[in-house]
Amino acid sequence: MKNHTMMQYFEWYLPENGLHWRRCAAQAGRLEEAGIDMVWLPPAYKGAAGAKSVGYDVYDMYDLGEFDQKGSIRTKYGIRDEYLAAVRGLQQQGIQVLADIVLNHRMGADGTEVVVADETLSTDRNQEISPDRTITAWTRFDFPGRGGKYSGFQWRARHFSGTDWDEGAKRKGIFRFDGKNWERKIDNENGNYDYLMGADLDTDQPEVVKETADWGKWYLDTVQMDGFRLDAVKHIGFDFYREWLKTMRTHAGREVFAVGEYWSRDVNKLRYYLDTLERSLSLFDVPLHFHFLEAATSNGNYDMSRIYENTLTGLDPAHAVPFVDNHDTQPGQALVSFIPAWFKPLAYALILLRDAGIPCVFYGDFYGIPHDRIAPVPGLKTLLRVRKLYAYGKENLYFDDPSVVGFTREGDAEHPDSGTAVLLTDSVAGSKRMYVGKQHAGKNMMDAMGGISESSTVGEDGWAEFRVEGGSVSVWVFEKAAEKLYIEL
Ligand code: CA
C-alpha cells in the first residue's frame, strides 16, 4: 500500500499556447516519481472564450478540441487527440486521471430566445423584485460547428432555470424563467445559491437529466478516466449528483472516484452535503484552507492546537481532500485567499504527512506562478517524497500547545526506514517530546527540511525530543531515510 496523493494539474494563468496536454504527457514519469498518483486535469471541453478559456465557461461539452467553434479547433490546452494521449500517458505511469465536470451552467450561446422571467434580488434570490418581465436571453445552443456529431441535443430556454443578462434591455439581473423554481435542496447563501452564472441548468427537467447522463456516458467511454472532480456542487440541487454518480458508476462497471467542490468554510454544510450524497464522494476541505489562511495572517497568535477543529480532515477524514490553494484562490481570481509563502511548507506538512484524507497539491505551488512572479513552495518536493516513502504506520498527535504542535508516524514493516516526526510553529522556535516507537530506540533522526542541523536520538522508551525554528516546520526521518532523500534530490 502506497499513500495516495492528488495534484491539481493547472493554475489559472497557464500560457494560452495549446501545449498543456503535451506537457501532461511529457511530465507523467516525473510526477509518478514525485509521489503523485492522481491528477486532476482542467475542464477539457470548449468554453465560450475558445482557446483563451480556462474551461469553466462551458460552451460545448462534446468538443474536446475537435471542432472549429468559438474561434479555434483547439482549447487552451490542445486538441482532442493530445488530451486522450495525456490521459493514457498518465495512466501508463499508474496515475489515476480525474476529469473536471462542470454541469451547473452554460455560456456563449449561439442565439437568443424571448422568454418571460421573474427578476429576483441578487442578495436574496427568494425575493422577486419584478415579476413577469419579457427578456431576451442567450439560451440557444445549436453547436453549428459540430454539426450533430456525437449528439444531436440542442439546448433551449426550457432546459435552464435562469440567466443574468437581458440582451433586449442590455441589463444585468438575476432572472428566473417563468414556471421555474430555484432548486430547493441547495446552499442558502444569497437566500438560494442555485444560480451562479451563465444559463443555469434546470436539473429537475427530465431532458436535462437524460442529456447530462448521456454526455457522461459518452465522456467515460471516450476518455476512460478514473474519476471526477465535480465543479460548483453547492449550486446544483443536492440530489442531482447522487443520481448522476450512480448512473456513471453503473455504466463504467468499476470504482469511479469523485471529489466535489463545495465552497464553504462551514463544515456542517459540507457534512450535510455528504449525508445527502450518501457519502458517495469526497469533498475538498475548504474550512481547513481558511484555517491555514487565518494561521498565516495572525502574527503568530493563531491557536495551532485547533487547526483541524471543524474541518473535514478532522471530522470525516475518509471523505476529505485537504488542499492548500487552487486556481480560484490564487492572486487575481474570484475566491482569492492565497496562503502566504512563509506558511505554505507548514500547510503542506499538515496535509501531506498526516494519516487523513487524500491531499491535493496545487500546480502553482509545485511549479510556481510566473504570471505573478510566485516561486515554487520550498521543500514541497521533499514533503512529497517523505509522504510517498516514510509517512506510514500508527499516528500520534501532539496538538497540545497554541504555537508548537506536531505529530509522528511510527513506520511499518512494509516500507523500509519508514516513520517520521513533524514539528511546526506559527510563533517562535520551540521543542517537543514525541513518541515514535520503542522499536526505533537508539536510532538517529534528522530534519529533512534542513532547518535544524543536529540530529535527535530516540530513547529506550521510544520517545525523542524534536526542535523547530520560529515560523517553520521540521520533518524528522531516520538517518538511513535521510541519506536516501538527499541522494535522490
Ligand atoms: Ca444551478
Side-chain angles (χ1 to χ4, degrees):
M1 276 295 285
K2 214 177 63 179
N3 284 324
H4 289 302
T5 310
M6 189 188 300
M7 181 162 175
Q8 172 180 8
Y9 209 72
F10 64 105
E11 52 102 353
W12 196 269
Y13 299 108
L14 287 177
E16 293 159 358
N17 56 15
L19 294 177
H20 191 58
W21 298 145
R22 284 160 66 186
R23 179 186 298 127
C24 291
Q27 293 296 321
R30 266 174 236 173
L31 292 176
E32 191 279 331
E33 235 174 81
I36 304 299
D37 71 346
M38 297 172 101
V39 161
W40 152 27
L41 297 179
Y45 20 87
K46 191 71 57 73
K52 290 183 182 308
S53 166
V54 172
Y56 296 100
D57 54 343
V58 187
Y59 167 66
D60 183 0
M61 296 184 88
Y62 290 100
D63 184 357
L64 306 174
E66 183 180 4
F67 304 101
D68 190 0
Q69 301 189 107
K70 300 297 172 193
S72 70
I73 288 173
R74 71 167 176 88
T75 67
K76 174 174 177 174
Y77 310 113
I79 59 169
R80 173 187 153 112
D81 285 349
E82 293 165 342
Y83 173 53
L84 298 179
V87 173
R88 287 298 92 75
L90 289 162
Q91 289 173 332
Q92 275 160 15
Q93 295 292 338
I95 297 172
Q96 293 189 35
V97 175
L98 310 186
D100 205 322
I101 307 294
V102 187
L103 290 177
N104 180 64
H105 53 265
R106 294 296 175 109
M107 298 175 97
D110 300 305
T112 57
E113 292 171 278
V114 174
V115 292
V116 177
D118 304 322
E119 186 173 357
T120 65
L121 196 63
S122 172
T123 49
D124 179 4
R125 282 88 184 278
N126 294 319
Q127 252 194 74
E128 283 182 20
I129 50 176
S130 175
D132 297 332
R133 295 173 59 94
T134 298
I135 68 164
T136 304
W138 288 97
T139 46
R140 281 183 71 102
F141 291 80
D142 299 327
F143 312 117
R146 177 158 55 82
K149 192 171 176 186
Y150 305 128
S151 167
F153 191 88
Q154 296 183 324
W155 295 81
R156 293 291 180 267
R158 69 176 182 279
H159 301 125
F160 300 110
S161 303
T163 191
D164 64 352
W165 180 254
D166 176 4
E167 185 61 35
K170 302 272 184 203
R171 202 172 71 80
K172 234 179 136 49
I174 305 289
F175 302 104
R176 187 185 57 218
F177 295 158
D178 194 38
K180 302 278 187 176
N181 295 306
W182 298 132
E183 286 290 338
R184 260 180 276 276
K185 211 186 277 182
I186 200 87
D187 190 85
N188 63 2
E189 208 178 314
N190 298 320
N192 178 309
Y193 219 171
D194 185 353
Y195 187 82
L196 176 64
M197 60 170 93
D200 188 83
L201 265 65
D202 179 2
T203 51
D204 288 332
Q205 224 266 5
E207 289 178 349
V208 173
V209 173
K210 181 174 183 306
E211 168 56 17
T212 49
D214 288 349
W215 171 77
K217 291 174 193 170
W218 171 84
Y219 197 29
L220 266 173
D221 293 344
T222 303
V223 180
Q224 300 287 328
M225 71 287 278
D226 305 282
F228 302 119
R229 179 268 182 187
L230 307 176
D231 184 62
V233 299
K234 76 172 181 181
H235 305 288
I236 300 173
F238 290 179
D239 294 326
F240 174 80
Y241 269 125
R242 187 185 56 215
E243 300 310 311
W244 190 85
L245 283 173
K246 277 182 199 161
T247 306
M248 291 307 109
R249 285 169 175 150
T250 303
H251 182 76
R254 56 183 160 87
E255 280 291 309
V256 181
F257 177 83
V259 55
E261 177 224 15
Y262 194 116
W263 197 259
S264 170
R265 59 181 83 196
D266 180 353
V267 77
N268 291 322
K269 285 188 173 185
L270 273 55
R271 292 208 288 176
Y272 178 74
Y273 190 81
L274 287 172
D275 288 344
T276 309
L277 274 278
E278 297 158 356
R279 289 193 158 56
S280 59
L281 83 174
S282 296
L283 290 177
F284 289 108
D285 195 346
V286 179
L288 184 61
H289 162 77
F290 282 107
H291 285 196
F292 290 157
L293 185 64
E294 207 186 325
T297 54
S298 297
N299 298 312
N301 295 317
Y302 184 78
D303 185 354
M304 292 296 288
S305 72
R306 303 177 70 172
I307 194 110
Y308 293 110
E309 220 169 73
N310 294 317
T311 68
L312 216 48
T313 304
L315 294 170
D316 193 353
H319 298 96
V321 175
F323 67 99
V324 177
D325 271 304
N326 67 29
H327 64 293
D328 283 326
T329 68
Q330 74 182 83
Q333 285 315 301
L335 307 168
V336 60
S337 47
F338 206 57
I339 307 301
W342 76 271
F343 196 81
K344 284 240 159 146
L346 285 71
Y348 271 107
L350 287 165
I351 70 167
L352 289 173
L353 303 179
R354 283 283 318 277
D355 182 15
I358 299 176
C360 182
V361 175
F362 179 42
Y363 184 100
D365 288 336
F366 191 84
Y367 295 107
I369 305 176
H371 178 271
D372 292 290
R373 296 197 185 87
I374 292 168
V377 173
L380 178 53
K381 284 178 181 159
T382 303
L383 293 170
L384 281 165
R385 294 297 290 169
V386 173
R387 173 174 177 79
K388 182 184 182 182
L389 296 170
Y390 308 125
Y392 296 97
K394 188 172 175 293
E395 183 176 67
N396 305 295
L397 303 179
Y398 299 89
F399 289 82
D400 51 4
D401 182 87
S403 303
V404 182
V405 294
F407 52 96
T408 66
R409 305 290 300 273
E410 295 183 22
D412 63 17
E414 196 188 329
H415 303 90
D417 307 310
S418 60
T420 180
V422 178
L423 196 65
L424 56 145
T425 175
D426 70 328
S427 182
V428 295
S431 66
K432 195 182 292 287
R433 274 173 61 76
M434 299 193 287
Y435 182 76
V436 288
K438 276 184 187 160
Q439 68 274 29
H440 299 302
K443 289 186 195 170
N444 285 329
M445 297 187 81
M446 300 169 74
D447 175 15
M449 300 298 274
I452 306 284
S453 47
E454 299 80 31
S455 62
S456 170
T457 307
V458 183
E460 287 307 310
D461 56 0
W463 290 73
E465 172 101 10
F466 299 100
R467 288 171 49 209
V468 63
E469 292 294 339
S472 76
V473 55
S474 57
V475 176
W476 302 79
V477 296
F478 295 110
E479 218 161 12
K480 268 174 83 180
E483 281 167 21
K484 268 196 275 176
L485 279 178
Y486 291 131
I487 290 162
E488 283 166 12
L489 288 167

